[in-house]
Amino acid sequence: MTALSKVTRRRELAPGLVTIRFHNPKIARETIAGHFVNVLPRAGANDPMLRRPFSVYNTDGDEAEIIVQAHGRGTNLIASIAEGELLDVLGPLGNPWNYKSGDFNTAVLVVGGVGVASMLLLTRALLREELPVQTYYGARTKDLLALQDLKNLHLATDDGSQGFHGSVIEMLRNDLKAGLIDRPKLFVCGPTGMMRAAAQLGCEFDIPCELSLETEMACGIGICQGCPVLTDEDTFNKTGKRFRLVCVDGPSFSAEAITI
C-alpha cells in the first residue's frame, strides 16, 4: 500500500501551513471524502520513524493533495519537501464521512483550523447529492483562515480580525437558536476542544453530529493499537468494545458513539 509519490506542487498558505500535491493514481482515484493518508517524514529514512496522518484535502486526476501544518520535527520535514522530491505515502486509509444517512436536510460543516483539510471533498460529495451545505469555519486569526474555497461560508476568529468575533461554536449556536438552519446535521473536524463543544451542541439541539478525529497514530492500519478512542456506555453495552481505533474504525464517528 505504500508508494513513493512525486511531489508536483507545494504551496504556502500561511506561515507554517502548506499544501502538498503529489502524483499517486491509486490514492487519487480511490479516496472518498474523509479518507486519510499516512506519510513518512523522510522517504527512505527511518528517523523520525513514525508516519504522520493527514486528511486527503483534494484529488484531481491522478494527483492528490494534503495540508500540512508544521508544528514538530516530523511535520516540519514533510512541510519543507520540494517539488520534484518523493513523498512516502500510505493510503487511502480509514472510514469516510457518512453523508448518506438521510437524517438531515442541511449539512452543516463545522471547521476549526487545519480541520478544513477534511471538508473540500465532503462539500463536493454533498453537492453531488444535491444537499444544501453551510460551512462554519473558525480560527484564531484571519491569517489562519487559509482556505475559503468552500460553500456558504460563515467565518469566525478568536481575535475578531475577520467575521464573527468569538468561537465558531458560539456563532453556530446563535444561528441554531434563531432557527436559521433547516433540519441540520453537523460534520465536524478541528481541535479536540472544538469537537467536544460541537458534540455538546448536537445534544443540546437534538441534532445528529459526526466527528472526524485528528489524533496521533503510528501504523494507520490497526496493528499498533496506538490510537484508541473511548466508546460511550451504550455503544460499549451493544458491542462489548470499550475502545475503538481512530485509524480503522474512524476517523469519522457519530458523536453519540464515543467519548472525547
Side-chain angles (χ1 to χ4, degrees), residues 5 7 22-23 71 78 80 86 96 120 148 178 182 186 190 198-199 218 223 242 244 252:
S5 305
V7 174
F22 55 93
H23 183 268
H71 55 77
I78 297 169
S80 61
L86 296 176
L120 180 61
Q148 300 184 12
D182 175 36
L186 309 183
I223 296 174
R242 198 74 189 99
R244 296 296 181 93
S252 296

Side-chain angles (χ1 to χ4, degrees), residues 35-241:
H35 277 153
F36 71 94
V37 294
N38 221 8
V39 179
L40 197 63
R42 292 193 299 169
N46 291 322
D47 179 27
M49 183 176 67
L50 301 182
R51 294 174 177 270
R52 271 57 171 178
F54 300 94
S55 296
V56 179
Y57 164 63
N58 191 16
T59 58
D60 184 8
D62 288 341
E63 297 184 343
E65 196 166 16
I66 58 175
I67 299 176
V68 181
Q69 184 173 36
H71 55 77
R73 182 167 174 247
T75 49
N76 268 293
L77 285 167
I78 297 169
S80 61
I81 196 168
E83 293 178 3
E85 291 186 341
L86 296 176
L87 199 65
D88 188 321
V89 189
L90 172 66
L93 302 172
N95 284 313
W97 292 105
N98 175 22
Y99 56 86
K100 295 186 176 181
S101 59
D103 57 351
F104 64 98
N105 292 343
T106 305
V108 178
L109 280 52
V110 188
V111 189
V114 77
V116 71
S118 184
M119 296 302 183
L120 180 61
L121 294 181
L122 177 60
T123 298
R124 290 178 184 166
L126 289 162
L127 294 178
R128 283 197 296 271
E129 300 292 324
E130 299 184 345
L131 288 165
V133 178
Q134 298 288 329
T135 305
Y136 287 75
Y137 182 11
R140 293 195 305 276
T141 72
K142 66 178 183 180
D143 294 336
L144 296 175
L145 293 168
L147 291 160
Q148 300 184 12
D149 49 350
L150 298 172
K151 192 72 174 178
N152 297 325
L153 275 169
H154 306 261
L155 302 177
T157 50
D158 293 347
D159 64 0
S161 54
Q162 188 168 353
F164 179 81
H165 187 180
S167 78
V168 69
I169 298 297
E170 184 182 355
M171 177 173 58
L172 175 57
R173 175 179 279 107
N174 291 342
D175 287 355
L176 290 172
K177 280 183 177 177
L180 298 180
I181 308 173
D182 175 36
R183 198 171 172 245
K185 175 178 179 177
L186 309 183
F187 297 86
V188 189
C189 190
T192 300
M194 189 209 77
M195 289 201 286
R196 188 176 295 122
Q200 292 170 349
L201 196 65
C203 290
E204 180 182 337
F205 287 87
D206 192 24
I207 54 180
C209 178
E210 189 167 332
L211 310 174
S212 183
L213 301 188
E214 295 186 313
T215 187
E216 294 181 356
M217 60 181 70
C219 71
I221 53 176
I223 296 174
C224 71
Q225 305 282 301
C227 53
V229 58
L230 190 65
T231 61
D232 80 330
E233 197 63 35
D234 288 343
T235 301
F236 171 67
N237 290 336
K238 290 176 184 174
T239 65
K241 294 182 178 180

